[in-house]
Amino acid sequence: MDKPLRVMVDMSATLLHHGHIRLLKKAHEIGQVVVALTTDEEIEKKKGYVPELNFEERKEILEAIRYVDEVVPCPWLIDDAFVVAHNCDLLVHGNDNSNHIPEEKLVIFPRTEGISSSILRERVLDCLISLNLKNKSTSTSDKIARLLIETIKKEFKLE
């Protein structure tokens, strides 16, 4: 009997969404899924902010998903040595992959259109702005809140 394939899926999952779930489900159809989860330090270094959910919180959520067998910490980019060190046969990734993995060990799936953690952040900020504007308050604190929201959108390049 052949041993099942172990497939690695690397992600940050700062805000988990249905695109992540779809990718994990596709990976699970190939074999046992090991999620290489980007550490908080790597996210801060690469993206310039601390994720909304810390590593342990993101790991706990991922471990609760039926398509995930294991979660391991990883750097922003992984290479074949990292995949091999975790006894994985393949790397599964969205079509935005920038990891240096041999082509024969790489399975690419299209990203889910219209969703990303960045888009979720923008939606949350838009909701906050909308709530603030609907209240039509002109208090100083509301004006400051609107200013902060706009500043955050610019900082995270969400415009």
Side-chain angles (χ1 to χ4, degrees):
M1 181 174 178
D2 289 333
K3 153 181 121 167
L5 288 177
R6 280 175 53 91
V7 296
M8 181 169 279
V9 179
D10 74 302
M11 59 176 54
S12 297
T14 52
L15 293 175
L16 197 67
H17 55 73
H18 61 284
H20 293 123
I21 300 300
R22 290 176 183 177
L23 183 62
L24 293 168
K25 183 177 182 181
K26 287 178 183 178
H28 179 73
E29 291 169 0
I30 297 170
Q32 295 177 336
V33 175
V34 176
V35 174
L37 185 60
T38 312
T39 64
D40 296 340
E41 297 78 19
E42 286 287 302
I43 292 169
E44 186 172 12
K45 190 165 58 174
K46 179 66 177 172
K47 292 194 172 192
Y49 65 89
V50 175
E52 294 82 357
L53 299 170
N54 68 40
F55 179 86
E56 289 302 321
E57 293 163 336
R58 292 180 287 128
K59 180 180 179 193
E60 181 179 342
I61 292 168
L62 286 165
E63 288 174 336
I65 297 170
R66 68 178 172 203
Y67 307 122
V68 175
D69 297 293
E70 184 180 347
V71 178
V72 298
C74 74
W76 184 257
L77 290 176
I78 60 175
D79 57 19
D80 191 44
F82 186 87
V83 174
V84 170
H86 292 281
N87 302 311
C88 291
D89 305 294
L90 300 169
L91 175 70
V92 171
H93 203 284
N95 57 5
D96 61 343
N97 177 61
S98 54
N99 295 298
H100 300 291
I101 303 293
E103 195 172 309
E104 67 274 7
K105 293 179 79 174
L106 190 58
V107 178
I108 300 292
F109 289 112
R111 290 179 59 94
T112 302
E113 291 293 320
I115 192 65
S116 70
S117 297
S118 295
I119 289 171
L120 284 180
R121 281 183 198 89
E122 187 170 358
R123 286 182 188 174
V124 168
L125 289 172
D126 286 343
C127 286
L128 290 172
I129 290 169
S130 177
L131 284 171
N132 208 309
L133 292 177
K134 283 180 183 174
N135 291 337
K136 306 269 191 223
S137 174
T138 57
S139 73
T140 302
S141 63
D142 287 339
K143 289 177 184 175
I144 292 170
R146 283 195 292 277
L147 175 66
L148 286 173
I149 290 166
E150 289 301 323
T151 303
I152 290 167
K153 284 180 82 169
K154 287 177 186 164
E155 181 68 26
F156 284 102
K157 299 171 182 72
L158 296 175
E159 297 186 295

